[in-house]
Amino acid sequence: MSAGALVTAAEIARLANVGRAAVGNWRKRHPDFPEPVLNAGGSPVFPLTEVRRWLREQGKLTDDTTTDALWVALDAGHGRPDTLELVADVATHLRVPGSVDLPADVRALLGEDAGQRADEVIESLVERAFQRQQRQHLATPAGLARLMVRLAAPVAGTVLDPACGPGNILRAAGHAGAEHLAGQEIDPVMARLARARLAPHGTPDIAVGDALRADAFTGPPADAVVCDPPFGYRDWGQDELRTDPRWEYGSPAKGEPELAWVQHCLAHAKPGGAVVLALPAGVASRRSGRAIRQALLRRGAVRAVIALPAGVLMSTGVPIHLWVLRKPGAGGAGPVLLVNTGHHQPARRGQVDWTALDEEVLGAWHEFGATGAVDTVAGRRRTLEPIDLLDEDVDLTPARHLPPPRPALDPEALERTRLHLSRLLGELDGLLPEFTTPPPGARATTTIDDLARAGALTLRRQVGPLPTSEAGPGPLVLTGRDVSTGSVPDTHFVGTEDDDPIHLRPGDLVVPLLAAGDGRPVTKVMDGDDVVLGPNLQLIRVNPDQVDVHFLAGQIRASSGQAASSTTASGVHRVDVRRVEVPVLDLGRQRRLGVAFERLEALDSTLGRAAALGVDLVSQLTEGLACGTVAPPE
């Protein structure tokens, strides 16, 4: 791409740190906004130079840093399909100016002083590039890389990562004091990126190639080997490598590439050297790997297996184990530490509390290193002799060998739960509605769409995404999932009024766009005002002099057949409230029905809370009685 780089409306929004809707508003309100052109796909794009000038003049370029503008320019493509290649070019240029032929606009954005901030610029671009879903599996999370290096500590001399990717693990090793960093990476772009990122730690030795098929490090062994190898593939060279001397513990089966990496790493460590790998949990138990696991145990290579909580990787939900190994030297097999950290389950995939996880894992590891054993904690950690693991399966999954945790029951909390349930059950009688049978007769009906046309209500939806954050002073953002599940909103609106948010008011009626099961819609009548309408919701704002909102909510909840306009492939129904038929009644009659509908909704909610509380109480008391932590009264 030439100096006339082009950007989309979404890229302009990212550059100005606003929602995409704000860009649309600027185009409507400001006649001097840069004129768009059409790209090959027919969508409007804008000249980056003119956009940045306009944003700066309007005071909307809130963070006009090198990396913000540079990322937008790189992300625009420059005629290449892979942004990461451009990031590698910039990183290489910053380390060795002039070594890469950069486009003119990129050189201009870097400026003359970019080399003084090379680390900052490179890491910012790398972080943005690997935030994308298609790239997340190629980079070890920084928290995981640091933990793995700490398990290999003390790191001195040479640290090798034979599947180094962009260098996250080696970078952590450099910060931990490694004197020399060595790695191998099959992707030349990733290898270039690793070299540039590791330059502050000396002269890294990064080779390009497939470490299993074309091993680049056949010289002196490394002091430590730390590796997060690729997993989930079968074409790793098993046929041509069947008799490879690295398979000291057994020839890996075609479906066991991870055990090939385990032995590759052990082959490159000096006697007594630490080897730490991140492996999918299945490696610990698959039948095809039984003989190799047995040999590793008998030779004393296995020091610890640490089960991490599912969700530590953003790109996959596959549970991960850390294998801490030692290249066998003098001495025989010693005890094995087993740790299970499943109770640190992240709320969302990739959002791990690494501080808490490090504290638990490293606390057990350091205690084990100092004494050769740890105090057993049910469900969490223990040490075993290798002979205790050499059964028919040689299953190294920590949870299989840990005593089950006893339920931590608090008698006072159980009593509070019992009293709460009793109160809820007492409320149910007062919520049971009384009803009569009205005289027969035809009722005139209308639709919500017709009511909207008549001005009795308005229908609205949030168009386009809103800028949100899990923390912030802005109002909460209510989503369709929140209403469907009855959960509390957990994100805040962090944009400006240019993003055109819809602020909800008390008395607003919201209905999710999707309904599971029989397609019966869920409704919520708002009772607060510090909330913004989020995605997958329909807003109905009634004229209270014409329509009772609780009456309308009840009619919608009863209209599963009318509101479900279509069904997705997964069986979820799409809800279109405009189609819902509503009886034409005077306001007084609406209000009487609205009260009845409201009581029924309260009854339904109370029944649900009582049922959930009852199931939990029964489960806890059953476990407590069985374990002897509670007992019936004498």
Side-chain angles (χ1 to χ4, degrees):
M1 186 172 58
S2 66
L6 301 174
V7 288
T8 65
E11 290 164 342
I12 295 172
R14 288 199 297 271
L15 184 62
N17 194 28
V18 298
R20 186 171 177 177
V23 178
N25 288 335
W26 293 341
R27 291 182 62 192
K28 295 175 184 177
R29 298 175 185 176
H30 299 277
D32 61 337
F33 191 87
E35 287 294 324
V37 296
L38 292 180
N39 63 13
S43 301
V45 290
F46 305 82
L48 173 59
T49 302
E50 294 183 26
V51 167
R52 292 185 70 234
R53 174 190 53 76
W54 186 89
L55 291 174
R56 190 180 301 108
E57 291 174 353
Q58 296 291 325
K60 299 182 184 297
L61 201 57
T62 55
D63 189 15
D64 189 14
T65 64
T66 297
T67 50
D68 288 326
L70 186 59
W71 173 252
V72 172
L74 296 179
D75 200 27
H78 281 270
R80 304 189 205 178
D82 192 351
T83 303
L84 196 64
E85 184 178 354
L86 290 165
V87 173
D89 284 350
V90 171
T92 303
H93 168 80
L94 289 172
R95 295 305 185 196
V96 186
S99 60
V100 178
D101 184 19
L102 293 176
D105 63 322
V106 172
R107 288 199 308 272
L109 288 169
L110 283 171
E112 296 181 359
D113 66 336
Q116 301 172 14
R117 297 178 290 107
D119 291 350
E120 173 193 339
V121 174
I122 291 171
E123 292 309 314
S124 177
L125 294 176
V126 167
E127 180 181 359
R128 297 179 195 221
F130 282 97
Q131 282 175 345
R132 299 193 168 181
Q133 182 65 34
Q134 68 268 27
R135 284 290 182 188
Q136 287 167 355
H137 69 288
L138 298 177
T140 306
L144 178 57
R146 286 192 298 269
L147 176 58
M148 294 173 69
V149 169
R150 288 170 181 168
L151 289 168
V155 290
T158 297
V159 175
L160 169 68
D161 179 357
C164 68
N168 285 13
I169 288 176
L170 291 175
R171 190 164 179 263
H175 287 307
E179 297 171 10
H180 180 63
L181 303 176
Q184 187 162 352
E185 171 53 43
I186 194 170
D187 184 341
V189 173
M190 300 275 273
R192 285 201 295 129
L193 200 55
R195 288 191 197 100
R197 297 180 70 208
L198 299 173
H201 301 286
T203 304
D205 187 1
I206 306 298
V208 178
D210 183 336
L212 294 184
R213 285 187 168 98
D215 185 6
F217 294 95
T218 57
D223 295 275
V225 183
V226 186
C227 184
D228 176 13
F231 60 85
Y233 70 104
R234 292 178 176 270
D235 184 20
W236 57 272
Q238 188 248 3
D239 290 336
E240 63 258 45
L241 298 175
R242 192 177 299 277
T243 59
D244 195 285
R246 288 171 292 180
W247 312 152
E248 188 177 342
Y249 304 87
S251 181
K254 187 172 185 179
E256 293 287 354
E258 295 85 7
L259 289 178
W261 283 101
V262 166
Q263 297 187 77
H264 174 84
C265 291
L266 282 167
H268 284 76
K270 68 179 184 181
V275 174
V276 180
L277 296 101
L279 303 172
V283 180
S285 59
R286 288 196 292 251
R287 186 72 179 176
S288 55
R290 173 184 175 274
I292 294 176
R293 294 195 300 272
Q294 183 183 73
L296 289 167
L297 284 169
R298 290 187 183 279
R299 293 280 303 278
V302 182
R303 298 204 67 202
V305 178
I306 300 161
L308 299 180
V312 297
L313 300 181
M314 181 70 77
S315 59
T316 177
V318 173
I320 299 297
H321 287 176
L322 296 183
W323 284 33
V324 185
L325 310 172
R326 175 182 54 197
K327 177 69 172 287
V336 177
L337 170 66
L338 300 174
V339 179
N340 180 20
T341 64
H343 52 285
H344 287 286
Q345 184 77 35
R348 295 183 181 180
R349 186 182 293 173
Q351 295 183 354
V352 183
D353 184 351
W354 288 108
T355 300
L357 196 60
D358 285 3
E359 183 177 347
E360 178 155 352
V361 171
L362 295 175
W365 176 245
H366 293 153
E367 181 181 339
F368 174 70
T371 65
V374 295
D375 292 332
T376 298
V377 178
R380 298 197 179 185
R381 66 182 199 178
R382 76 180 299 186
T383 47
L384 286 174
E385 293 298 326
I387 190 64
D388 297 320
L389 296 167
L390 291 172
D391 57 12
E392 181 180 354
D393 298 318
V394 197
D395 189 342
L396 302 184
T397 305
R400 178 176 176 181
H401 303 282
L402 298 176
R406 298 183 66 181
L409 299 181
D410 180 351
E412 293 184 0
L414 286 175
E415 179 61 15
R416 288 194 298 270
T417 300
R418 190 188 68 81
L419 292 174
H420 187 194
L421 178 60
S422 179
R423 283 196 298 271
L424 287 177
L425 295 174
E427 292 173 9
L428 290 175
D429 183 59
L431 293 172
L432 290 172
E434 297 179 357
F435 60 90
T436 61
T437 303
R443 293 195 300 179
T445 62
T446 185
T447 66
I448 289 181
D449 194 30
D450 289 336
L451 289 173
R453 291 196 184 108
L457 55 86
T458 57
L459 296 168
R460 295 191 66 182
R461 284 178 54 188
Q462 177 62 46
V463 178
L466 288 174
T468 61
S469 172
E470 292 188 2
L476 291 166
V477 178
L478 184 71
T479 69
R481 180 182 294 274
D482 296 331
V483 177
S484 296
T485 61
S487 55
V488 177
D490 59 0
T491 59
H492 293 261
F493 172 68
V494 293
T496 67
E497 291 306 312
D498 283 330
D499 293 292
D500 201 21
I502 300 173
H503 294 272
L504 297 175
R505 309 170 186 168
D508 279 349
L509 173 60
V510 290
V511 184
L513 286 169
L514 300 175
D518 61 359
R520 188 176 299 275
V522 179
T523 66
K524 178 178 179 64
V525 177
M526 301 302 300
D527 55 8
D529 57 3
D530 193 26
V531 182
V532 167
L533 184 71
N536 298 319
L537 275 177
Q538 304 164 88
L539 164 63
I540 304 175
R541 183 167 288 164
V542 304
N543 180 344
D545 294 329
Q546 295 180 267
V547 179
D548 181 81
V549 68
H550 292 288
F551 161 74
L552 189 62
Q555 295 291 339
I556 292 172
R557 291 196 300 274
S559 65
S560 58
Q562 303 166 15
S565 60
S566 63
T567 305
T568 67
S570 59
V572 176
H573 302 270
R574 301 187 189 279
V575 175
D576 185 357
V577 295
R578 295 173 301 175
R579 304 172 50 172
V580 174
E581 292 187 355
V582 180
V584 178
L585 303 173
D586 63 75
L587 190 57
R589 179 64 175 158
Q590 288 183 42
R591 287 172 176 165
R592 287 194 296 275
L593 287 171
V595 170
F597 279 133
E598 194 174 4
R599 289 184 64 187
L600 281 175
E601 189 173 22
L603 173 63
D604 183 54
S605 175
T606 304
L607 281 170
R609 286 186 288 130
L613 202 63
V615 168
D616 184 55
L617 182 63
V618 169
S619 175
Q620 290 193 62
L621 287 174
T622 300
E623 292 182 5
L625 288 169
C627 294
T629 53
V630 297
E634 294 295 337

